[in-house]
Amino acid sequence: MATPVSGLVDPDRGYVNPAIYADQAIYEQELELVFGRSWLFLAHGSQLPNRGDFVQTYMGEDPVLVVRQRDGSVKAFLNQCRHRGMRICRSDEGTSKTFTCTYHGWAYDLEGNLINVPLEDRAYRNEIDKSKWGALKVPRVAEYKGFYFGTWSEEAPEFEEYLGDMAYYFDAVVGRWDNGLEFVGGTSKWVIDCNWKFASEQFASDIYHAQSSHASALMALVDNPAYWAGISYQSQTPGRQFGGNGHGAGSFWSEALGGPDPTYGTGDYAAWVAANKDEVFRNVGEDRALRVAGHNTIFPNFSWLGSPATMRVWHPRGPGQIEVWAWTYVPKDAPEEVKADIRLGTQRTFSPAGSFETDDGENWTEIQQVLRGWKARHNTFNAQMGLGHEERDVHGQPGETNDAFSETAARGFYRRWADLMSGLSWSEIAELDAERQATATAVPQE
Ligand code: FES
């Protein structure tokens, strides 16, 4: 029976009970009801350029293999041998025609079908029906502009419906360039001792921390007090935050594309972007190019930043730990020196040893340590920033938005989390969303 969660989060009033970050039973329920039913990021097409290319990843804690098929499509299956449960493939990535389990040698094809059993005649008297013992297939894989997502749920909405208004914000990055994006430099992986929701929620909803948490790192990176003042205290800079379907995005508004950013590499990237801004404006429009791309999360655990150019999955590892898998993304058609500049900028800021990354990790691990206390776990957290000041479809941005300094996306994140954790079906959630939207107040400003 599902653990009741209705008293643990109250998005309408902006209350969060911190037990949701530390309780083992709640975590087990998340694996089934959140990760078992949501669309989860699997891979980018640039990780699988050729037939037989594969990467290993996780859906929640379940290891899955994502494989480019002979017909060019991408499929995924549980990386668990049906004999005794060994990983079918122990490599992180590679190219193969088949996958052979190293324990007793059962072999599977690129779709996960069982195709060979050693000593089939003597050991199994030729009586095993191999068609029944293939790997568990991920039943639904969707491709969106080069990005592959999968879900175990037969009932979840189609991926584009799941994205909803978040597509506008995702497209600001993935639809920016004529020839799309690619991942470069492999996958960076590291462990942080914190609950996965701290990371997902922050990337969805929290630009507020930057001026405090990242102030000293910024001073270390940039030897220019005038710049610190401009970036560290953006209280006068306009910006918006979006929240919808559990997803979130927020950004300050820029005045120009490709302006100088001294935290970023050598400057080649900024100059190249400025020189190619017409391509961006043509693809996503000038307003979107200048006003959208900052911090983002697709519920539950796929996040990215517009600059630095990092994308990542927060793989859960128990209530108090995550494995971060992060990639640097670049415009596919950019010159090599520009790609190198982007990699340098991302490595120095948002990578395992990146200056801003370590600030975030320190915050999250500190909170998790405090939650070891019994009283600390039975407290109430405030998620009320901007509560009651949401607007819909204003400033040319679709969906429910608020000032950049708000927690609209956080409240939406926990609303979707609670819907799923309550055991509501996706169709019941859709009905609830329609009711919520009908009762929400739209106050257009322009
Ligand atoms: Fe895979 Fe035995 S566990 S062949």
Side-chain angles (χ1 to χ4, degrees), residues 81-87 101-106 108:
C81 180
R82 293 295 299 281
H83 180 224
R84 284 295 182 281
M86 184 75 172
R87 276 177 212 268
C101 176
T102 52
Y103 196 171
H104 310 92
W106 283 26
Y108 300 80

Side-chain angles (χ1 to χ4, degrees), residues 66-78:
V66 187
V67 189
R68 179 76 72 183
Q69 303 295 304
R70 292 177 201 285
D71 65 1
S73 66
V74 168
K75 294 184 176 174
F77 54 87
L78 190 67

Side-chain angles (χ1 to χ4, degrees), residues 239-301:
R240 299 294 290 176
Q241 179 183 110
F242 157 81
N245 288 12
H247 319 306
S251 194
F252 290 122
W253 293 352
S254 307
E255 300 204 335
L257 210 58
D261 182 348
T263 63
Y264 216 90
T266 62
D268 288 349
Y269 176 43
W272 184 79
V273 169
N276 291 277
K277 66 179 189 310
D278 289 348
E279 180 179 332
V280 177
F281 291 165
R282 186 178 68 247
N283 285 323
V284 300
E286 188 167 342
D287 275 356
R288 179 158 42 169
L290 297 176
R291 294 183 170 189
V292 175
H295 58 82
N296 308 264
T297 290
I298 291 178
F299 185 90
N301 65 335

Side-chain angles (χ1 to χ4, degrees), residues 240 388-394 440-446:
R240 299 294 290 176
H389 298 278
E390 283 81 6
E391 299 172 285
R392 181 165 285 280
D393 302 331
V394 293
T441 309
V443 189
Q445 287 193 330
E446 59 183 24

Side-chain angles (χ1 to χ4, degrees), residues 27 36 125 129 134 159 177 209 218 227 265 286 351 363 385 422:
Y27 175 73
R125 278 45 169 204
D129 182 353
F159 181 70
W177 303 102
H209 75 286
L218 190 68
Y227 186 80
E286 188 167 342
S351 67
N363 289 334
M385 197 188 304
S422 300

Side-chain angles (χ1 to χ4, degrees), residues 152-353:
W152 297 109
S153 170
E154 301 281 8
E155 193 226 1
E158 295 297 328
F159 181 70
E160 293 202 23
E161 191 184 335
Y162 178 89
L163 270 184
D165 290 322
M166 186 67 191
Y168 176 88
Y169 303 88
F170 194 24
D171 287 351
V173 172
V174 304
R176 211 171 182 86
W177 303 102
D178 288 348
N179 207 18
L181 304 173
E182 64 181 0
F183 286 180
V184 292
T187 309
S188 296
K189 303 176 183 178
W190 67 100
V191 169
I192 303 177
D193 288 330
C194 73
N195 187 269
W196 66 274
K197 295 187 287 300
F198 292 142
S200 284
E201 185 224 292
Q202 180 180 299
F203 272 63
S205 186
D206 189 345
I207 215 166
Y208 184 53
H209 75 286
Q211 59 183 347
S212 307
S213 292
H214 299 315
S216 56
L218 190 68
M219 290 178 186
L221 271 176
V222 184
D223 186 19
N224 180 350
Y227 186 80
W228 305 338
I231 290 291
S232 297
Y233 302 99
Q234 292 175 312
S235 57
Q236 304 307 314
T237 308
R240 299 294 290 176
Q241 179 183 110
F242 157 81
N245 288 12
H247 319 306
S251 194
F252 290 122
W253 293 352
S254 307
E255 300 204 335
L257 210 58
D261 182 348
T263 63
Y264 216 90
T266 62
D268 288 349
Y269 176 43
W272 184 79
V273 169
N276 291 277
K277 66 179 189 310
D278 289 348
E279 180 179 332
V280 177
F281 291 165
R282 186 178 68 247
N283 285 323
V284 300
E286 188 167 342
D287 275 356
R288 179 158 42 169
L290 297 176
R291 294 183 170 189
V292 175
H295 58 82
N296 308 264
T297 290
I298 291 178
F299 185 90
N301 65 335
F302 178 56
S303 301
W304 68 94
L305 299 175
S307 174
T310 179
M311 292 188 170
R312 66 262 311 278
V313 174
W314 320 102
H315 290 302
R317 293 291 178 266
Q321 193 174 78
I322 56 174
E323 248 182 66
V324 189
W325 286 27
W327 303 271
T328 299
Y329 66 89
V330 300
K332 196 172 176 185
D333 286 343
E336 288 307 313
E337 65 271 19
V338 168
K339 293 179 181 177
D341 191 41
I342 297 170
R343 282 184 61 187
L344 177 63
T346 304
Q347 282 170 359
R348 68 198 292 198
T349 51
F350 282 93
S351 67

